[in-house]
Amino acid sequence: DIQMTQSPSSLSASVGDRVTITCRASQGISSFLAWYQQKPGKVPKLLVYAASTLQSGVPSRFSGSGYGTEFTLTISSLQPEDVGDYYCQKYDSAPPGFTFGPGTKVDIK
Amino acid sequence: QVQLQESGPGLVKSSGTLSLTCTVSGDSINSYYWTWIRQSPGKGLEWIGYIYAGGSTYYNPSLKSRVSISVDTSKNQFSLTLTSVTPADTAVYYCARSVPAFDVWGQGTMVTVSS
């Protein structure tokens, strides 16, 4: 099975800071990688799919990059409303399955 | 606007069977894949399995022996069955549309397994 890891597990940054979260897959998954945001007490929300495509309606300060086994989610200017947990997810078809990473908790300093 | 709504008992006895239904509105269940995810209190997201309208399914290997997902196209619903539950199955259960990323989610339903 393909395993997903994320780093850091948590971070605290100031408003306006550039924040980067890294996701690694134990095997290559091409660009079959999505990112989700889950605000406290809320339903997860799709931010990025196909590693770098921003979901409709997502603010442009979010961006995704990467291919194969290493991916990043970047928030170019952290805002108070960005506080929450961020999860990466692989959706490779071979084998099929949708494994989530363990999550990264983002807080405001 | 596509909406998903989970329904089912909020309390299940240990060793019993958990059954939930997800009703899809604003889209035909004959398209896309439809999936279940859960989140134990204070924990991360765990994918449970998916079904395609044609009936093909795929489950998380860690739950495969206890999980079944079915679809009722006449009602635009799909359902989750999890057998032999334990308190470790206590979680918020979400249904979602898979395109293949999960772009639309239900509000989630909390299921507690009592010992």
Side-chain angles (χ1 to χ4, degrees), chain B residues 83-105:
Chain B
T83 61
S84 303
V85 297
T86 71
D89 295 308
T90 293
V92 175
Y93 286 77
Y94 296 100
C95 58
R97 185 177 75 171
S98 173
V99 295
F102 302 164
D103 68 334
V104 182
W105 295 60

Side-chain angles (χ1 to χ4, degrees), chain A residues 1 34 36 38 42-44 46 49 55 87 89 91 95-98 100 102, chain B residues 37 39 43-47 50 58 61 94 98 100-103 105-107:
Chain A
D1 291 355
Y36 299 85
Q38 186 176 30
K42 300 298 185 181
V43 178
L46 176 64
Y49 62 94
Q55 175 71 348
Y87 298 92
Q89 177 207 43
Y91 52 90
F98 300 86
F100 288 97
Chain B
I37 307 105
Q39 186 171 35
K43 303 295 185 183
L45 300 168
E46 180 180 28
W47 171 70
Y50 69 66
Y58 193 80
Y94 296 100
S98 173
F102 302 164
D103 68 334
W105 295 60
Q107 285 301 302

Side-chain angles (χ1 to χ4, degrees), chain A residues 18-74:
Chain A
R18 183 181 183 87
V19 168
T20 298
I21 300 168
T22 299
C23 174
R24 291 184 174 87
S26 60
Q27 300 175 36
I29 57 171
S30 184
S31 297
F32 298 117
L33 193 283
W35 289 96
Y36 299 85
Q37 174 195 60
Q38 186 176 30
K39 295 183 180 182
K42 300 298 185 181
V43 178
K45 172 187 173 183
L46 176 64
L47 295 177
V48 172
Y49 62 94
S52 60
T53 303
L54 212 60
Q55 175 71 348
S56 176
V58 173
S60 59
R61 63 180 180 274
F62 291 93
S63 64
S65 64
Y67 183 89
T69 61
E70 187 157 333
F71 304 87
T72 59
L73 175 72
T74 300

Side-chain angles (χ1 to χ4, degrees), chain B residues 6-105:
Chain B
E6 305 88 351
S7 59
L11 185 63
V12 181
K13 291 184 178 179
S14 193
S15 76
T17 297
L18 180 158
S19 297
L20 297 173
T21 295
C22 182
T23 301
V24 179
S25 58
D27 193 7
S28 169
I29 205 165
N30 289 311
S31 304
Y32 307 117
Y33 291 79
W34 303 91
T35 192
W36 288 96
I37 307 105
R38 71 180 183 179
Q39 186 171 35
S40 300
K43 303 295 185 183
L45 300 168
E46 180 180 28
W47 171 70
I48 298 172
Y50 69 66
I51 189 165
Y52 189 66
S56 60
T57 55
Y58 193 80
Y59 304 126
N60 187 325
S62 68
L63 297 169
K64 185 178 180 180
S65 63
R66 300 193 291 128
V67 172
S68 176
I69 298 176
S70 60
V71 65
D72 186 336
T73 55
S74 67
K75 294 182 179 179
N76 230 37
Q77 295 176 334
F78 63 106
S79 298
L80 169 70
T81 300
L82 183 65
T83 61
S84 303
V85 297
T86 71
D89 295 308
T90 293
V92 175
Y93 286 77
Y94 296 100
C95 58
R97 185 177 75 171
S98 173
V99 295
F102 302 164
D103 68 334
V104 182
W105 295 60

